[in-house]
Amino acid sequence: MPIVEPSLVTVKREEKLELDGIDVSGDWNTFLEPRVHTDLDLKIVDWVRSQPQGETISRCWQCGTCTAGCCMHTDYGLEEFNPRYFIYLAQIGYEEELRKYAQTIWRCVSCNKCVERCPKGVKVEEVVHTIGTYLEVSGGAPESPADRFDRAYTENLLARGVLDEAALFRTYERLEGRKTPARDLLRLGFTMLLSGRLHTGPFAHRTRGWRRMRPVLTKILEEEERARRARVEAPASRARGGSPGRAP
Amino acid sequence: MNPVLVLGGGPAGLSAAAELASLGAPALLVEKENYLGGNPKRWHYSLLAPDLKPAEEVLGELLRKVEGNPRVETRLETTVTQVEPAGKGFRVSLRTRETLETREVGACILATGFDHFDSRRKYEYGYGRYPDVLDFKELEGMIHDDRILRPSDGAVPKRIAWILCVGSRDLQVGNTWCCRMGCAVSIKQAVEIRQKHPEIDAYVYYMDIRTYGLWEDLYWKSMQQYGVKFIRGRIGQITMAEGGKRLVATGEDTILSRPTEVPFDMIVLASGMEPGHGTQEAAKLFHLPVGPEGFLTPKVADINPVDSGIPGLYLAGAATGPKAIPDSVTEGMGAALRAFQYARD
Ligand code: SF4
Ligand code: SF4
Ligand code: SF4
């Protein structure tokens, strides 16, 4: 069956091609793009190892015990959340593949079952977060709905020091282009009104002294973000190989 | 010439005593249990990997050389409670339940062996709680008697799983080393069962398969001739399903990158080897250094693996680390020869 999706193939037309005396002119390369993986870059694993929470990554031998018991993977059933696989991709330096999970990786609920069970003493939960941090700060990940929500949430909170839930809801709808049916809106508004959370717009609550507190908080957040980026951009020049030593 | 004390009546100790006797030297074989043959005897090992030779045949050969041999004095249910230097050799106190006796010996061979890991310590596998989770040494007995029946209800199992590296290569239980024989023995068991009962399906969950050296042949045969199946992933926990009737092994199939929760009728744990109680006692008694793993350490392991570093004191078998029976037998011979040379003049 020919492949009709043009993005999947690069067609090469051979006007006149003969192989061993047989005429094989025509369209060539109408196959899928090769799936062979050809690039490995150990920058990521070096960086993860250089972080205090990430140094146990080099102990992992891919047994899968962590994934076997992982709340997200097994109990919640989020198949693409697979801590063993994240560690593997980081270990061999397959960043391109790892990037596909830049969002999923944050779904870890920090239950620490993986840490409890890992036979090699890998601090799986911390390592997974460290990998996530790398992916996030080193950039390149397309913004996901979760990212946009996070940003909207922070901005909303920073505005007055108290969350304006109704406003957040409106922003979220706008950002994601969603429309909630009027009936649901009414019911939601009514519930919020009853529970005293419908202080929005001009009636929104505000934290006392927020005008002075806000710049301080903003500055701290900015500094933290800068520090995080700096850490990724200048990975510690720790030598490769070897292990961080025996477990305590 | 004073006798050479051989402490421990497993394969290494039996081999040492037999070898001393054949050299014309008297041996004093001391065993704390009331039988000779060590762990293989205690757990009724069935066939020994890799040649699938009956354990009785291998042990029997050694036992025949020792039992009734006028040069070997065997003392069962006896422990050594005290040791002090005496001339070139040692003066040792031998204690039984009723008696205490002091003997002079020309040299000592410690063949105090190993203990199987107590699988209850790997609580997430439910050993001791679920009757159908077996330790592989218990399965040895079943295979030996050809009674492969599910302990909970006596039914013939349809599907059995083996879990490798239980209590080995595992920081959570503090045992970092590889047991060396768990893979080979599990695969051997699966082969034995498939040989006699091809209707039973056999699956092995593994991280690595370490059928080292010539044992690899067994691994190949298990797949090619006997259809044993291998799944790469370490089981995280064993639970109960079907109203407490069937076990479920929960893990990740790391090749599929997917969780697996497969029901089994029986699950067999390949429990590892730990320094035996006797080995720990011997270390204290003789003030011997032990390695970080708790096994006795030869002075120069690569050149002279049977030499303890203390003149007249030799080591053999699994007391110095996990070892297969042929290796233990070889070390028993080596230690016997060294002890003989030392005690002779
Ligand atoms: S801590 Fe995170 S990675 Fe570990 S088992 Fe829990 S959800 Fe999974
Ligand atoms: S349990 Fe530990 S060693 Fe096994 S795959 Fe997970 S992190 Fe790696
Ligand atoms: S021999 Fe096999 S079962 Fe035993 S610890 Fe080594 S890898 Fe695991």
Side-chain angles (χ1 to χ4, degrees), chain B residues 33 54 74-75 86 94 104 108 120 126-127 137 192 299 329:
Chain B
E33 304 292 345
T74 303
R75 306 289 296 268
L94 304 181
E104 291 213 356
C108 293
R120 279 172 307 191
Y127 177 74
K137 55 189 190 284
E192 275 180 276
K299 184 125 186 290
V329 169

Side-chain angles (χ1 to χ4, degrees), chain B residues 164-165 168-169 178-183 208 210:
Chain B
L164 302 184
C165 311
S168 306
R169 312 175 65 204
C178 167
C179 76
R180 285 180 116 196
M181 48 77 213
C183 290
D208 311 274
R210 296 186 171 173

Side-chain angles (χ1 to χ4, degrees), chain A residues 60-80:
Chain A
C60 174
W61 62 20
Q62 292 295 307
C63 65
T65 313
C66 49
T67 303
C70 172
C71 301
M72 264 299 139
H73 187 76
T74 309
D75 301 335
Y76 187 72
L78 183 66
E79 201 188 304
E80 67 265 32

Side-chain angles (χ1 to χ4, degrees), chain A residues 59 61-65 67-69 73-75 79 82 84-85 113-122 246-248, chain B residues 122-124 169-172 176 207-208 232-237 250-259 261 292-293:
Chain A
R59 293 173 176 219
W61 62 20
Q62 292 295 307
C63 65
T65 313
T67 303
H73 187 76
T74 309
D75 301 335
E79 201 188 304
N82 183 333
R84 186 220 20 105
Y85 189 50
K113 219 198 279 179
C114 49
V115 181
E116 165 76 15
R117 287 186 178 168
C118 170
K120 287 279 272 158
V122 178
R246 291 179 75 92
Chain B
K122 208 69 205 144
Y123 63 90
E124 58 268 46
R169 312 175 65 204
D170 184 353
L171 269 175
Q172 301 291 2
T176 52
M207 297 195 282
D208 311 274
R232 191 185 178 285
R234 190 168 169 278
I235 292 299
Q237 65 181 13
T250 304
E252 189 205 0
D253 182 322
T254 60
I255 292 173
L256 292 180
S257 272
R258 292 184 70 156
E261 295 182 5
E293 290 86 6

Side-chain angles (χ1 to χ4, degrees), chain B residues 101-311:
Chain B
E101 175 194 357
T102 309
R103 292 283 294 270
E104 291 213 356
V105 295
C108 293
I109 295 172
L110 302 183
T112 43
F114 73 97
D115 283 343
H116 281 285
F117 172 78
D118 179 354
S119 297
R120 279 172 307 191
R121 276 167 62 201
K122 208 69 205 144
Y123 63 90
E124 58 268 46
Y125 293 162
Y127 177 74
R129 264 182 296 137
Y130 305 146
D132 298 336
V133 177
L134 305 183
D135 194 290
F136 73 162
K137 55 189 190 284
E138 292 157 5
L139 187 67
E140 275 294 303
M142 281 192 182
I143 295 175
H144 181 266
D145 305 336
D146 195 18
R147 284 175 54 82
I148 317 291
L149 301 174
R150 203 155 70 162
S152 62
D153 58 3
V156 177
K158 291 193 191 62
R159 194 194 271 157
I160 307 181
W162 277 259
I163 300 181
L164 302 184
C165 311
V166 176
S168 306
R169 312 175 65 204
D170 184 353
L171 269 175
Q172 301 291 2
V173 298
N175 294 353
T176 52
W177 57 92
C178 167
C179 76
R180 285 180 116 196
M181 48 77 213
C183 290
V185 173
S186 301
I187 294 173
K188 178 218 70 159
Q189 291 184 337
V191 164
E192 275 180 276
I193 289 182
R194 295 273 305 157
Q195 234 169 4
K196 286 203 190 122
H197 308 277
E199 70 283 1
I200 301 179
D201 294 339
Y203 288 84
V204 178
Y205 286 93
Y206 70 100
M207 297 195 282
D208 311 274
I209 294 291
R210 296 186 171 173
T211 41
Y212 60 98
L214 304 184
W215 291 13
E216 184 71 3
D217 185 50
L218 186 66
Y219 177 30
W220 290 25
K221 275 203 190 115
S222 75
M223 292 187 265
Q224 292 160 221
Q225 263 165 272
Y226 300 102
V228 178
K229 300 287 179 263
F230 291 85
I231 299 178
R232 191 185 178 285
R234 190 168 169 278
I235 292 299
Q237 65 181 13
I238 295 173
T239 50
M240 273 292 190
E242 298 174 24
K245 286 213 196 67
R246 241 172 150 203
L247 302 165
V248 173
T250 304
E252 189 205 0
D253 182 322
T254 60
I255 292 173
L256 292 180
S257 272
R258 292 184 70 156
T260 104
E261 295 182 5
V262 181
F264 286 100
D265 300 305
M266 268 168 48
I267 298 183
V268 184
L269 310 179
S271 58
M273 282 181 167
E274 292 185 326
H277 180 68
T279 295
Q280 294 168 27
E281 293 294 306
K284 279 186 228 151
L285 201 62
F286 288 88
H287 302 291
L288 279 172
V290 291
E293 290 86 6
F295 290 97
L296 302 178
T297 43
K299 184 125 186 290
V300 197
D302 38 8
I303 297 174
N304 192 349
V306 300
D307 207 330
S308 74
I310 296 174

